[in-house]
């Protein structure tokens, strides 16, 4: 076995993958062809085996479907209670994700990976719940049927006649750490159905007549086996890549078809298709673009493009490589993809040309160990690059491509003229050096001219410069002068060496120039992709994604374009936003609708609706087509050449991923808002039902006692009952007012009546209102000297101080003091209310200001938890801020800042003193 040293970058990437994987839990999928094959049973058996090994395993949710033998396996296992969700009058059992995260076992069993959660749950799909469990480091056992894989949905619907709506992205299945196939022959599964071991008897016969027909089960079984085999093959390729194994393992047939710019390419494609079909093997088509092939005419490169697209239509995976040597690139790809058979055309070179210049086929035979080669010859009379063949290419190029586009013409004559000019300049320099230097030095001058010509104008002109330089050197600088005859044989060797060296330098410089061009192209493409990916990652909504995508596509392909999305009815419409300057205004919506419906490429330069004025690409998400990219190319070759097509496909994938991300983010935000609204509703109902029950009970009891007219009641007792009724009614009114005030503040309908008020008057008014609740307490007031003016809504700020003082009274000992302080500056006034109570639990300082939040739930006096929320809303409406923190000497201090945006009026200073003991 040949093992090479792994590439350092690959090793680093592997370490990063393994590090990220180590932080996640492991996912094991019990995979089957259909319901009833025993996935849940095998999953529970595995769970019991791990439990016997003292593993911390919990059953999150398992659907037994009334099967006694399955339910028996749950005995003795820890089972999380499901949450009950009300939906359209029905109570649904759903997986309790929060309870599972709080419990955090080492392994959790969650059945039915493809299940759709009821509305109101955190995630719409159960596989998203499992992703959150895996991110939390919890291992998961789950079950999945093959018909729920998204990529197979259409095929299975065609086979069975039934569309499965609950699907799982293939990436979830592919990222699973382990997949265990649970298989059962169709006859045995049908027997289990008839015995009522899968569905209830009344449902079993209907299932047999519909989805569970024997033909359907055979097809589903084959799909399940193939999916499992493909996964094993992918694992084998990953292992080979991780361990840098380059020898081919003959474990699965994989065919590689090598095509080039000749007529044999189409025959190779058809032969490869027949070969792959006969062997039931995966096949690839590769085109290696060497520096020599880069100089081919546009017609011949278009023909290669057409062949690659034809291969894709026949089911092959097309690969385009850029490399200086075709054979090495083919061997490297074959080893990376574990190719077992290579199909290639017979070499066109014969005789001395094949011996001198070499052959790709000969190199493959000598170096492609453990790979079988199949050679396909051309029919008699066909050559490799005849004029007849070139004419055939022009006629059979991409539809409409040759008619619309003329190849880019290069002025070869100008390059050759420059080669002559450079040679003449070298001759002039050599003439000046002739009397003082040896001939060998003059040779260097001509070689320098050849190097310059090769670097600047390419191989052909540099070869011309080589021959011209050798001829001029012989004619002008070698005796006898002005003659091509050579008197001294040593000059013959010099001239021959000069010519050979010049030609080799020309060849090497041309290759370096081509490789530099390829490297620059790759670097630019990587830069473009990085720039686009960076901007897409920073996009926060769909409109920003579209703007970034349209701008970058226009910059790279010089083509106007537009991204079209369907409306709520699934019909393609133009975006309503103001179009960008790079946007395409006249896209054909009917073509775009066809692309959306069929998820296929169409439009100009394709085989579908080629008369359209643009090319239409589907933007495919993980579950559906998100939209359509309409692109009007100024040059079809900029879009359909292999390297450009790959770049555009990468752009489209990036755009689709970004759109999927922002839509998922919007869905998550919407779900979060719904959850928050539901939480607030439940908190409100709980607060009203809890905190109004006590005053209502007191009012009803006191009122009923008075209504009975008991003569034994004394006058003082009746007065006390009336006082209780009044106090409790007042408390109820305060609670209701808080709720109404919070609703008004949240709706934004409150307008501030801001005026200038002395701060001491505001505080004095508040202390007067709270004279009874503050009875027996010491309230210390410390204000800045002079008159401090504040520009506020006095009623609302008084409400803030009232709420803060009532909160302090409620949560502090009855005889503890309170403090009110104020600090003034030219730009703001800070007011603080401090107490000597038990303080705030650490980490709860910010939660105090949330709606319906209460530190303690001693209901009788705790209120509904809106007082501090109202304080924050009022202060923020004034442009200020409020916070709470514990005092170092014990107790809590609530402080808020009111900005001073205007110059306060000038008032006479007065002394305002407040006596202690309010």
């Amino acid at each position: 076995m040949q093992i090479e040293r792994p590439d350092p970058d690959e090793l680093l990437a592997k370490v990063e993958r393994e590090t990220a994987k180590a932080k996640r839990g492991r996912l094991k999928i019990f995979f089957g062809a259909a319901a009833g094959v025993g996935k849940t049973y095998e999953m529970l058996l595995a769970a019991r085996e791990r439990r016997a090994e003292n593993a911390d395993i919990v059953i999150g949710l398992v659907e037994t479907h009334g099967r006694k033998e399955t339910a028996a396996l749950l005995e003795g296992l820890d089972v999380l209670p499901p949450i009950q969700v009300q939906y359209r009058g029905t109570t649904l059992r759903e997986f309790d994700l929060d309870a599972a995260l709080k419990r955090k076992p080492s392994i959790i069993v969650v059945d039915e990976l493809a299940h759709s959660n009821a509305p109101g749950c955190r995630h719409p799909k159960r596989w998203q719940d499992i992703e959150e469990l895996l991110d939390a480091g919890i291992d998961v056992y789950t079950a999945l049927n093959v018909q729920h894989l998204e990529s197979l949905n259409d095929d299975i619907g065609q086979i069975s006649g039934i569309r499965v709506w609950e699907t799982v992205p293939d990436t979830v299945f592919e990222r699973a750490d382990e997949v265990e196939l649970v298989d059962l022959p169709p006859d045995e599964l049908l027997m289990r159905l008839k015995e009522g071991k899968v569905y209830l008897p009344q449902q079993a016969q209907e299932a047999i007549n519909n989805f569970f027909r024997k033909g359907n089960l055979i097809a589903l079984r084959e799909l399940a086996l193939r999916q499992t085999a493909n996964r094993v093959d992918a694992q084998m390729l990953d292992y080979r890549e991780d361990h840098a194994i380059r020898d081919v393992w003959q474990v699965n047939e994989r065919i590689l078809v090598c095509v080039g710019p000749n007529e044999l390419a189409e025959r190779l494609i058809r032969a490869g298709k027949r070969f792959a079909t006969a062997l039931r093997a995966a096949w690839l088509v590769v085109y290696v673009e060497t520096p020599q092939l880069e100089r081919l005419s546009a017609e011949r490169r278009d023909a290669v493009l057409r062949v690659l697209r034809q291969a894709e239509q026949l089911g092959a995976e097309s690969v385009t490589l850029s490399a200086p040597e075709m054979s090495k690139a083919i061997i490297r790809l074959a080893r990376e993809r574990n190719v077992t058979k290579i199909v290639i055309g017979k070499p066109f070179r014969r005789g001395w040309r094949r011996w001198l210049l070499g052959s790709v086929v000969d190199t493959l035979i000598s170096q492609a160990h453990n790979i079988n080669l199949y050679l396909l010859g051309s029919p008699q009379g066909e050559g490799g690059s005849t004029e007849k063949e070139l004419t055939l290419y022009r006629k059979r190029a991409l539809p409409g491509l040759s008619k619309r586009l003329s190849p880019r013409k290069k002025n070869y004559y100008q390059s050759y003229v420059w080669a002559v000019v450079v040679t003449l300049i070298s001759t002039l320099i050599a003439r000046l050096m002739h009397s003082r230097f040896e001939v060998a030095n003059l040779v260097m001058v001509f070689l320098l001219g050849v190097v310059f010509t090769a670097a600047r104008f390419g191989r052909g002109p540099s070869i011309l410069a080589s021959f011209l330089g050798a001829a001029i050197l012989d004619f002008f600088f070698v005796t006898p002068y002005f003659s091509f005859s050579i008197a001294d044989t040593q000059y013959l060797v010099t001239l021959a060496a000069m010519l050979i060296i010049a030609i080799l330098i020309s060849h090497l410089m041309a290759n370096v120039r081509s490789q530099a061009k390829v490297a620059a192209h790759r670097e630019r493409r990587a830069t473009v992709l990085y720039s686009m990916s960076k901007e897409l990652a920073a996009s926060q909504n769909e409109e920003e994604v579209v703007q970034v995508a349209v701008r970058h596509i226009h910059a790279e392909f010089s083509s106007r374009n537009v991204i079209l999305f369907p409306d709520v009815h699934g019909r393609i419409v133009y975006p309503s936003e103001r179009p960008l300057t790079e946007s395409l205004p006249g896209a054909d919506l009917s073509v775009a609708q066809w692309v959306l419906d069929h998820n296929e490429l169409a439009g100009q330069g394709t085989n579908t609706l080629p008369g359209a004025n643009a090319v239409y690409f589907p933007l495919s998400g993980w579950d559906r087509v998100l939209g359509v990219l309409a692109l009007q190319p100024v040059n079809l070759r900029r879009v359909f050449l292999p390297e450009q097509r790959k770049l555009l496909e990468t752009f489209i994938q990036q755009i689709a991923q970004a759109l999927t991300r922002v839509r998922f983010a919007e869905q998550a935000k919407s779900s979060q808002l719904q959850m928050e609204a539901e939480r607030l509703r439940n908190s409100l109902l709980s607060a009203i039902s809890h905190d109004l029950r006590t005053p209502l009970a007191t009012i009803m009891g006191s009122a009923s006692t008075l209504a009975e007219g008991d003569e034994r009641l004394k006058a003082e007792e009746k007065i006390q009952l009336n006082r209780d009724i009044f106090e409790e009614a007042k408390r109820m009114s305060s609670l209701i007012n808080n709720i109404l005030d919070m609703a008004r503040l949240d709706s934004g309908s409150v307008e501030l009546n801001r005026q200038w008020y002395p701060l001491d008057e505001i505080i004095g008014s508040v202390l007067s209102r709270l004279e009874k609740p503050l009875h027996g307490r010491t309230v210390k007031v410390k204000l800045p000297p002079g008159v401090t003016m504040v520009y506020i809504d006095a009623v609302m700020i008084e409400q803030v101080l009232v709420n803060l003082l009532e909160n302090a009274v409620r949560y502090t000992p009855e005889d503890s003091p309170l403090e009110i302080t104020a600090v003034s500056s030219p730009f703001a006034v800070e007011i603080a209310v401090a107490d000597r109570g038990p303080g705030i639990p650490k980490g709860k300082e910010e939660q105090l200001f949330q709606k319906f939040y209460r530190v303690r739930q001693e209901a009788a006096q705790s209120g509904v938890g809106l007082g501090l929320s109202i304080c924050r809303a009022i202060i923020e409406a004034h442009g200020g801020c409020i916070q709470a923190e514990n005092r170092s000497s014990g107790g809590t201090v609530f402080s808020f800042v009111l900005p001073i945006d205007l110059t306060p009026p000038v008032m006479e200073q007065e002394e305002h003193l407040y006596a202690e003991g309010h």
Side-chain angles (χ1 to χ4, degrees):
M1 181 173 63
Q2 180 184 358
I3 301 181
E4 298 178 0
R5 183 179 180 181
D7 183 83
D9 294 334
E10 295 178 358
L11 285 176
L12 179 60
K14 178 186 175 183
V15 171
E16 292 176 349
R17 290 195 305 269
E18 292 179 349
T19 302
K21 192 174 182 180
K23 297 179 181 179
R24 281 174 55 93
R26 292 177 58 83
L27 175 62
K28 181 174 182 178
I29 298 178
F30 291 82
F31 189 56
V37 298
K39 300 183 301 299
T40 304
Y41 189 86
E42 291 294 331
M43 182 167 59
L44 291 177
L45 281 179
R48 294 185 72 88
E49 291 177 0
R50 295 303 306 273
R51 180 62 181 272
E53 298 171 358
N54 296 323
D56 181 17
I57 191 163
V58 169
I59 305 299
L61 187 68
V62 167
E63 299 291 348
T64 62
H65 297 289
R67 303 166 192 159
K68 297 180 180 179
E69 61 273 16
T70 303
L73 293 177
L74 292 173
E75 297 180 2
L77 296 174
D78 294 338
V79 180
L80 284 180
I83 57 174
Q84 308 292 328
V85 180
Q86 299 294 329
Y87 180 65
R88 295 183 179 179
T90 304
T91 301
L92 303 177
R93 297 170 62 253
E94 294 293 350
F95 171 55
D96 193 345
L97 177 59
D98 291 323
L101 292 172
K102 184 177 180 181
R103 171 68 170 77
K104 199 170 184 180
S106 59
I107 304 173
I108 189 167
V109 178
V110 185
D111 204 0
E112 297 187 358
L113 178 63
H115 173 76
S116 296
N117 294 329
C121 295
R122 183 181 307 174
H123 301 297
K125 296 289 187 178
R126 184 165 293 170
W127 65 264
Q128 295 171 321
D129 294 340
I130 291 177
E131 283 291 318
E132 188 167 345
L133 292 172
L134 295 173
D135 290 337
I138 302 173
D139 295 348
V140 179
Y141 286 179
T142 188
L144 179 70
N145 289 328
V146 68
Q147 65 263 30
H148 294 295
L149 285 176
E150 175 63 33
S151 63
L152 300 178
N153 191 256
D154 294 333
D155 296 335
I156 292 176
Q158 182 180 7
I159 293 171
S160 63
I162 299 175
R163 184 63 181 262
V164 179
W165 295 106
E166 290 185 329
T167 59
V168 173
D170 287 48
T171 52
V172 176
F173 180 79
E174 293 164 0
R175 289 200 303 263
D177 298 277
E178 185 177 354
V179 174
E180 181 174 325
L181 178 65
V182 183
D183 188 34
L184 194 67
D187 292 332
E188 293 187 26
L189 179 56
L190 292 173
M191 184 63 67
R192 285 174 54 83
L193 271 170
K194 293 176 182 179
E195 294 174 354
K197 295 182 178 181
V198 179
Y199 296 119
L200 297 176
Q202 58 269 26
Q203 299 174 338
Q205 189 59 44
E206 182 180 354
I208 294 174
N209 295 333
N210 293 282
F211 189 81
F212 283 83
R213 296 192 298 269
K214 185 173 181 179
N216 291 351
L217 296 178
I218 294 173
L220 292 173
R221 189 186 188 198
E222 181 177 357
L223 287 173
L225 292 171
R226 283 186 176 275
Q227 288 294 320
T228 308
N230 291 339
R231 175 181 170 79
V232 173
D233 185 60
Q235 290 176 335
M236 183 266 295
L237 291 177
D238 290 341
Y239 178 85
R240 287 169 45 84
E241 184 67 25
D242 291 341
H243 292 78
I245 298 174
R246 294 296 175 254
D247 281 344
V248 175
W249 291 354
Q250 300 283 346
V251 294
N252 188 23
E253 296 291 355
R254 184 173 280 107
I255 300 170
L256 178 65
V257 180
C258 306
V259 298
N262 51 57
E263 180 62 19
L264 195 59
E266 291 189 14
R267 298 186 62 239
L268 284 167
I269 293 297
R270 290 191 288 267
K273 171 60 178 176
R274 292 194 300 269
F275 206 4
T277 302
L279 297 177
R280 295 180 178 270
W283 62 302
L284 303 85
V285 176
V286 61
Y287 168 66
V288 182
E289 193 167 51
T290 62
Q292 293 83 359
L293 296 180
E294 286 183 354
R295 294 188 293 273
L296 291 177
S297 63
E299 290 88 348
R300 301 188 68 178
R301 298 190 74 190
D302 293 341
V304 174
L305 172 60
R306 180 185 60 79
V307 169
L308 292 177
R309 291 185 56 196
Q310 179 184 357
E312 292 176 354
Q313 293 172 356
L314 293 177
E317 176 188 352
S318 65
V319 180
T320 303
L321 303 175
S322 295
E325 294 187 34
M326 188 180 299
S327 55
K328 289 185 178 179
I330 293 173
I331 292 173
R332 183 170 60 252
L333 178 65
R335 288 173 175 171
E336 289 176 355
R337 304 297 291 272
N338 200 44
V339 169
T340 58
K341 293 176 172 57
I342 296 178
V343 179
I344 192 170
K346 285 185 177 180
F348 291 113
R349 291 173 180 167
R350 296 290 187 269
W352 68 270
R353 296 180 69 250
R354 181 173 178 180
W355 175 82
L356 182 62
L357 301 177
S359 166
V360 174
V361 174
D362 295 337
T363 306
L364 291 178
I365 292 174
S366 61
Q367 298 183 9
H369 305 294
N370 208 23
I371 301 177
N372 298 324
L373 262 69
Y374 296 82
L375 302 183
L376 182 68
S378 58
Q380 185 176 3
E382 288 190 10
S385 57
T386 62
E387 185 64 29
K388 176 182 178 182
E389 178 186 353
L390 186 59
T391 304
L392 190 61
Y393 284 144
R394 293 193 181 102
K395 294 181 179 179
R396 303 177 63 182
L398 282 170
L401 190 62
S402 296
K403 295 179 180 179
R404 292 182 177 91
L405 302 175
S406 59
R408 180 184 175 185
K409 296 182 178 180
K410 297 182 179 179
N411 195 342
Y412 294 106
Y413 296 107
Q414 185 177 2
S415 300
Y416 285 99
V417 168
W418 274 109
V420 174
V421 171
V422 170
T423 305
L424 293 177
I425 294 174
S426 300
T427 303
L428 179 60
I429 296 173
R431 183 62 183 173
L432 297 175
M433 299 170 57
H434 178 56
S435 59
R436 287 171 289 180
F437 294 90
E438 297 291 334
V439 175
N441 296 315
L442 306 184
V443 170
M444 296 298 104
V445 173
F446 285 99
L447 288 179
L448 182 62
V450 171
V451 171
F452 175 80
T453 305
R456 184 66 179 82
F457 304 108
R459 178 183 285 104
S462 65
I463 293 177
L464 174 62
S466 301
F467 281 99
L468 283 177
I472 291 174
L473 182 67
D474 179 25
F475 191 79
F476 290 103
F477 303 104
V478 176
T479 56
Y481 301 119
F482 307 109
S483 171
F484 289 108
S485 61
I486 300 174
D488 192 344
T489 56
Q490 65 175 344
Y491 291 124
L492 182 62
V493 176
T494 301
L495 291 174
M498 172 190 168
L499 183 59
I500 294 174
I501 292 173
I503 293 175
L504 289 176
I505 290 176
S506 301
H507 178 73
L508 292 175
M509 289 298 298
N511 284 346
V512 168
R513 192 163 172 255
S514 299
Q515 293 176 21
K517 180 180 177 182
V518 171
H521 176 72
R522 289 179 176 175
E523 190 274 335
R524 186 188 60 81
R525 183 167 59 181
T527 302
V528 169
L529 286 174
Y530 172 76
S531 175
M532 182 177 180
S533 301
K534 185 178 179 180
E535 292 193 39
L536 288 177
S539 301
Q540 300 297 321
N541 52 57
E542 190 172 287
E543 182 178 354
E544 292 182 4
V545 171
V546 169
Q547 291 177 354
V548 171
V550 170
R551 187 174 68 254
H552 278 275
I553 292 176
H554 181 271
E556 176 61 24
F557 297 95
S558 302
S559 303
R560 304 185 73 179
N561 62 95
V562 65
I563 296 180
L564 307 172
F565 296 106
D567 58 13
V568 293
H569 305 293
R571 306 303 301 175
I572 286 287
V573 295
Y574 250 97
S576 57
E577 297 84 4
R578 183 172 60 87
L580 302 173
T581 56
E582 299 90 349
S583 293
L584 174 64
D588 192 332
L589 297 185
S590 60
V591 180
Q593 187 67 48
W594 187 93
V595 172
L596 179 75
D597 295 338
H598 294 82
N599 193 19
E600 293 181 10
L601 177 70
Q604 184 181 7
T606 70
N607 295 326
T608 305
L609 304 172
N613 64 340
V615 191
Y616 296 81
F617 301 87
L619 299 174
S620 301
W622 67 267
D623 60 341
R624 66 185 183 277
V625 181
L626 303 176
V628 176
L629 168 65
L631 185 145
Q632 189 176 55
V634 295
N635 188 325
L636 279 178
R637 190 173 292 105
R638 290 286 299 273
V639 176
F640 286 110
L641 281 177
E643 59 272 18
Q644 290 296 100
R645 176 70 181 277
K646 294 291 184 184
L647 179 61
L648 182 57
E649 289 177 353
T650 306
F651 271 30
I652 292 173
Q653 291 175 1
Q654 295 275 358
I655 296 167
Q657 291 175 3
L659 289 172
T660 303
R661 174 182 58 80
V662 297
R663 291 187 179 184
F664 274 150
E666 291 174 357
Q667 291 178 6
K669 183 178 180 181
S670 177
S671 300
Q672 187 66 28
L673 291 175
Q674 292 178 1
M675 292 172 59
E676 184 67 17
E678 185 71 15
R679 187 186 68 81
L680 290 177
R681 185 183 71 85
N682 293 336
S683 300
L684 178 60
L685 292 175
S686 174
I688 292 176
S689 62
H690 189 274
D691 293 293
L692 297 184
R693 185 181 297 119
T694 300
L696 281 174
T698 302
I699 292 172
M700 291 179 63
S702 300
S704 63
T705 302
L706 292 173
E708 291 173 359
D710 192 345
E711 297 179 355
R712 293 175 297 179
L713 290 175
K714 298 179 182 180
E716 294 81 2
E717 294 176 340
K718 291 182 179 180
I719 292 174
Q720 184 60 40
L721 290 173
N722 285 323
R723 186 178 292 111
D724 292 342
I725 292 174
F726 174 75
E727 292 296 334
E728 296 300 330
K730 184 178 178 181
R731 182 181 169 203
M732 287 180 58
S733 176
S734 176
L735 295 176
I736 297 300
N737 286 337
N738 276 345
I739 294 174
L740 295 177
D741 288 344
M742 194 72 251
R744 288 167 54 226
L745 290 169
D746 281 348
S747 65
S749 60
V750 177
E751 295 184 2
L752 299 179
N753 181 20
R754 303 181 69 170
Q755 297 183 26
W756 289 103
Y757 292 93
L759 180 58
D760 51 2
E761 291 185 7
I762 299 296
I763 296 177
S765 175
V766 170
L767 294 177
S768 298
R769 287 174 56 184
L770 297 178
E771 182 176 0
K772 184 175 180 180
L774 294 174
H775 180 71
R777 288 180 180 262
T778 300
V779 180
K780 297 180 179 180
V781 179
K782 184 178 180 181
L783 302 179
V787 180
T788 302
M789 302 296 293
V790 287
Y791 188 64
I792 57 172
D793 186 320
V795 176
M796 288 193 172
I797 295 300
E798 286 184 8
Q799 184 64 42
V800 171
L801 291 170
V802 167
N803 288 354
L804 293 178
L805 289 170
E806 286 182 342
N807 186 74
V809 169
R810 183 178 297 117
Y811 291 104
T812 59
E814 294 182 358
D815 58 348
S816 62
L818 301 177
E819 299 176 11
I820 301 176
T821 61
V823 179
S824 177
S825 72
F827 306 103
V829 175
E830 182 178 0
I831 304 171
V833 176
D835 60 49
R836 293 291 179 179
I840 306 170
K842 188 176 182 180
K844 302 292 185 181
E845 292 85 352
E846 188 64 24
Q847 296 184 27
L848 289 175
F849 297 97
Q850 295 180 2
K851 300 182 184 69
F852 306 108
Y853 179 80
R854 291 174 288 189
V855 176
R856 294 182 293 274
Q857 304 294 331
E858 62 277 14
Q861 298 297 329
S862 62
V864 296
L866 283 176
L868 295 179
S869 299
I870 292 174
C871 291
R872 166 166 282 185
I874 292 174
I875 296 302
E876 289 180 350
H878 281 76
C881 59
I882 186 171
Q883 64 179 3
E885 58 184 353
N886 289 319
R887 305 173 71 181
S888 59
S889 58
T892 305
V893 57
F894 289 87
S895 60
F896 59 90
V897 177
L898 296 173
I900 300 177
D901 301 325
L902 302 176
T903 303
V906 179
M907 298 185 64
E908 296 181 1
Q909 296 187 357
E910 298 180 3
E911 295 293 335
H912 298 265
L913 302 176
Y914 291 90
E916 299 181 357
H918 287 279

